[in-house]
Amino acid sequence: MKFPQGFRSAALAAGIKPSGKTDLSCVVSDRPCSWAFAGTRSTTAAACVTRNREVYASTRPVRAIVVNAGNANAATGRQGARDNRDMAEAAESVFELPRDAALTASTGIIGHLLPMDRVLSGLEHLPDDLSDDVGAFATAIMTTDTRPKTATATLSSGAQIVGTAKGSGMIHPDMATMFAFAFSDAQVDQAALREAFPGIVSRTFNAVTVDGDTSTNDMAVAICNGAAGEVDLAEFLTALETVMRDLARQIAADGEGATKLLTVQVSGAASEQEALTAARTCCVSPLLKSAVHGNDPNWGRVIMAVGRSGAAVNVEAMTVSVQGVPVFAGKPLDYDARAVSESMKAEEVVFEVNLGAGEAHGEAWGCDLSGDYVVINAEYTT
Amino acid sequence: MKFPQGFRSAALAAGIKPSGKTDLSCVVSDRPCSWAFAGTRSTTAAACVTRNREVYASTRPVRAIVVNAGNANAATGRQGARDNRDMAEAAESVFELPRDAALTASTGIIGHLLPMDRVLSGLEHLPDDLSDDVGAFATAIMTTDTRPKTATATLSSGAQIVGTAKGSGMIHPDMATMFAFAFSDAQVDQAALREAFPGIVSRTFNAVTVDGDTSTNDMAVAICNGAAGEVDLAEFLTALETVMRDLARQIAADGEGATKLLTVQVSGAASEQEALTAARTCCVSPLLKSAVHGNDPNWGRVIMAVGRSGAAVNVEAMTVSVQGVPVFAGKPLDYDARAVSESMKAEEVVFEVNLGAGEAHGEAWGCDLSGDYVVINAEYTT
């Protein structure tokens, strides 16, 4: 897969990851880009999120994003903020960009200072190998991801959107950091893009976390360099949401220890926000996730999760189905539990819930909870 | 352990639990009781919670509580509400109590109608074996608990408080149902008790769940029959909180699959509510829980969980310690990771966090996350 025109990328192993895998990468545009950004709502946001937010507020165009994996540069105090700024300035210097034209993104362990000698030395070597291939970048941003995640869309004008994301899954709100980057050669008005972006993020990437809860470093960025000329805005935004939805589902399916994708579709809600909240609350429920892992059609856990989400429900009008089979309609229904359990041995398990309280709908994604999740996370640092 | 004077109890195996263990029990007072109640905030609350709440609103005294385990009678529609009322009325009949003098509590699987023939037949046999022993009752209310949970306090006047709780642990908000019952022979003004009760529940049982999120059936009840006469109200409330705190810690320590207790003490918060929220958010973090399971002093996960809790923090003034060892003070501190890891192989792991944002404090309890949790919950119904 190639980047849209005008974008080039490089990745190398700077020695930040102990494994020696590629861990420093960048994407650079040959011209200024309109862009939109959504960062973690965490009150302990990492240096990269804090700085990107400041750059965002300036509304100036950007030209590049530099990403390191293996170290989140979070909870690193003032030194961490200085290191992040140095990383951005070094990138701007080597790519001959204006000040604050490079965004930064860091992911990995929290509470350790960045090895700046390696970062700066790596940045100097990045421009040596710029190419239009997406694969190396998509791989270099990974941490415990088992596979790179990319998605693409082509507009009727021929303009492209190429997205890539990382996130070792986990629907859990304090999951490993999630990054989502969408690059496009479409020419898009920045104000219009920024107005639409929060809604798109809410329906896509925030639907794999909970209630907008995110890690210290989470961010989603859309960057448009206009090389392919003007596009229809509505068509562009729809395509962008499709790309980001695809990536969000990939993140959920690659959840730490996951063996399958969990999809919860909520309808009949009083508002889209309540539909999303109810769907997300189901997707983070460790009890429901465990049941999905065991192919157990224990729909009572859906009732419970919806109940605690706070979304308005009319229990008498509420319905639940598992893999298309109705199991609850104001009261328990008779169904073939063995057949439903069998149907849950699929790559994707879908619960449909109608809250009976309105007309709005929303969808969230997660994964099952397996013993491997604990194994992966019990000794991440040691 | 014996109940306070004036309370008697009985338990039997009515055939609700497939295992054949005791599953139907009651506590009856020989005189009217002042009482306080806190029920789940779930919008899909079970029939027992809904009815108890109605009885509570009447402010009339109660005389008994009847509990069944093995079936939650939740998401069972109008039939479920009728069954719950029939269960209460049958208890009132056999114990010759006034209407609405018996509370009910059901725990177990959601979405199945109560086997009313067994429940009603069991209720008729309950009065045959009333005694003042707590053990049989504490055991009959268990589901996946590995041990009964009781705590007691004696006031200076000689009045007693005896508490018992069930909850197969899980700090997770959609945990298996939690019940907490405190019985006392103290004479306590009902209005004063009801005014203090929400705060006590917030600092104790709600500190083993999250943000007041609870299952469809969760409830905490304090029942005082006055047989031992008047007591000092402040002394009583302090003792009640001590008993409920003890039970809350027992619930956390007996979490499904738990091998140790996780305690998070938050100070320096802007309010008690924010301190509790931050502490609870740490205690439900599957990443932190996994780290505790692996004896991994990965304090970055505390920073992350606090950050996503939304509590106000001043990161530069923030401090974190693990098992008494300072690891963060506005920036990462040098510490002996191996020694701290060794110290985490204890029955209780304590994180102390100062948010640097105020003077309030709060504490929450959870447990580590082990692979056994998944095994327990993957096939609960099948």
Side-chain angles (χ1 to χ4, degrees), chain B residues 194-210:
Chain B
R194 290 186 173 198
E195 189 184 337
F197 201 61
I200 293 174
V201 170
S202 169
R203 290 186 296 272
T204 57
F205 293 108
N206 278 347
V208 281
T209 71
V210 169

Side-chain angles (χ1 to χ4, degrees), chain B residues 290-378:
Chain B
S290 296
V292 168
H293 183 66
N295 306 310
D296 180 357
N298 192 340
W299 56 266
R301 294 177 177 173
V302 172
I303 302 278
M304 181 171 47
V306 166
R308 81 172 178 83
S309 77
V313 299
N314 175 359
V315 178
E316 295 200 353
M318 190 175 173
T319 63
V320 178
S321 74
V322 187
Q323 297 293 66
V325 177
V327 293
F328 180 84
K331 60 182 182 182
L333 303 178
D334 284 329
Y335 69 100
D336 183 343
R338 193 160 303 183
V340 172
S341 174
E342 202 57 39
S343 75
M344 290 173 75
K345 296 176 182 169
E347 285 186 7
E348 180 174 4
V349 172
V350 181
F351 289 86
E352 292 161 87
V353 185
N354 188 309
L355 305 184
E359 299 296 325
H361 58 90
E363 190 173 5
W365 306 280
C367 63
D368 57 332
L369 177 60
S370 75
D372 283 350
Y373 174 79
V374 179
V375 174
I376 292 168
N377 285 300

Side-chain angles (χ1 to χ4, degrees), chain A residues 141-199:
Chain A
I141 64 177
M142 288 167 40
T143 50
T144 56
D145 303 63
T146 66
R147 46 189 183 264
K149 297 162 184 69
T150 58
T152 183
T154 304
L155 305 185
S156 54
S157 73
Q160 295 235 303
I161 302 174
V162 169
T164 176
K166 68 84 49 181
S168 50
M170 285 329 292
I171 332 81
H172 279 296
D174 47 1
M175 65 184 185
T177 292
M178 187 199 72
F179 292 155
F181 306 121
F183 305 95
S184 178
D185 48 17
Q187 184 179 322
V188 180
D189 175 65
Q190 179 164 285
L193 176 63
R194 290 186 173 199
E195 189 184 337
F197 201 62

Side-chain angles (χ1 to χ4, degrees), chain A residues 3-214:
Chain A
F3 278 104
Q5 49 183 307
F7 290 102
R8 288 178 307 158
S9 174
L12 54 74
I16 306 167
K17 285 180 182 168
S19 65
K21 292 183 179 171
T22 54
D23 51 20
L24 187 67
S25 56
C26 68
V27 180
V28 185
S29 166
D30 64 8
R31 69 200 74 191
C33 303
S34 64
W35 62 299
F37 170 85
T40 179
R41 297 182 196 170
S42 171
T43 56
T44 57
C48 58
V49 172
T50 303
R51 178 180 170 280
N52 289 351
R53 200 167 265 148
E54 288 167 8
V55 177
Y56 194 55
S58 78
T59 74
R60 280 183 295 195
V62 295
R63 289 278 301 277
I65 184 156
V66 183
V67 186
N68 80 271
N71 186 316
N73 191 15
T76 44
R78 292 179 183 183
Q79 184 63 46
R82 281 193 292 271
D83 290 345
N84 177 258
R85 201 168 50 243
D86 288 350
M87 177 170 150
E89 286 178 3
E92 287 154 6
S93 170
V94 299
F95 294 112
E96 298 177 353
L97 305 177
R99 184 178 165 81
D100 287 345
L103 302 174
T104 55
S106 299
T107 178
I109 190 157
I110 292 178
H112 292 254
L113 290 172
L114 270 178
M116 285 308 289
D117 50 340
R118 296 176 186 192
V119 170
L120 296 177
S121 159
L123 283 171
E124 282 170 22
H125 291 93
L126 272 181
D128 300 345
D129 199 24
L130 289 174
S131 86
D132 58 2
D133 180 58
V134 176
F137 176 73
T139 302
I141 64 177
M142 288 167 40
T143 50
T144 56
D145 303 63
T146 66
R147 46 189 183 264
K149 297 162 184 69
T150 58
T152 183
T154 304
L155 305 185
S156 54
S157 73
Q160 295 235 303
I161 302 174
V162 169
T164 176
K166 68 84 49 181
S168 50
M170 285 329 292
I171 332 81
H172 279 296
D174 47 1
M175 65 184 185
T177 292
M178 187 199 72
F179 292 155
F181 306 121
F183 305 95
S184 178
D185 48 17
Q187 184 179 322
V188 180
D189 175 65
Q190 179 164 285
L193 176 63
R194 290 186 173 199
E195 189 184 337
F197 201 62
I200 293 173
V201 170
S202 169
R203 289 185 297 272
T204 57
F205 293 109
N206 278 348
V208 281
T209 71
V210 168
D211 297 324
D213 287 340
T214 44

